[in-house]
Amino acid sequence: MTATPDLGAPRLASPDLLRSVFRRHAAGVAVITASGEAGPVGFTATSLASVSAEPPMLSFGIGTGVSSWPAISRAEHVGVHILGEHQEELAATFARSGADRFGAPTAWREGPEGVPVLDDVLAWLVCRVVARVPAGDHRVVLAEVRLGDPAGAGRPLLYHQGRFSGLRA
């Protein structure tokens, strides 16, 4: 038997409605990084999407009020890191306001184009930013993949119902 939606009580569009609906949408977890004037910046993203295979492009969303936005708004290149289920604490660190995201225990190195590259992730990419599209209180960043490594071991970290979790076996 399938659940039938209650069409008798729809809610008007609001930020709360959108958040409530997307809490039910499981999403992979990524960390986006860039080199900023005051050092490396980064944030946890669940809005990562493949856009084009030819040329290889992706997109992610970022709020214009987050601490990483000034650096991302000027960056020519960004790092995109797909997190494994063993990296729940890393995801939480990069999601937490005011956290020392690149301090211990975060392991990282300066990668191509000066982009911070996180260690021990499932996969990483270095991308060239090609556009920043206004979208309400966010920007959708379009970036062309330049190089990367898909060879990390493990299973992906997911975000669902306001929590990080792994896939069930």
Side-chain angles (χ1 to χ4, degrees), residues 27-124:
V29 180
V31 168
I32 310 298
T33 61
S35 181
E37 290 177 9
V41 300
F43 66 98
T44 300
T46 57
S47 62
L48 183 66
S50 172
V51 172
S52 169
E54 200 54 51
M57 293 183 80
L58 57 80
S59 69
F60 60 87
I62 180 172
T64 56
V66 302
S67 62
S68 297
W69 170 243
I72 299 291
S73 74
R74 293 186 295 275
E76 291 184 30
H77 294 86
V78 294
V80 177
H81 307 83
I82 307 300
L83 300 190
E85 62 186 1
H86 64 286
Q87 294 177 303
E88 185 175 327
E89 186 53 41
L90 182 68
T93 297
F94 275 84
R96 194 170 27 252
S97 180
D100 181 6
R101 296 175 178 145
F102 290 90
T106 302
W108 66 282
R109 65 194 179 285
E110 184 175 314
E113 304 295 343
V115 171
V117 175
L118 302 175
D119 291 345
D120 198 31
V121 294
L122 296 187
W124 61 268

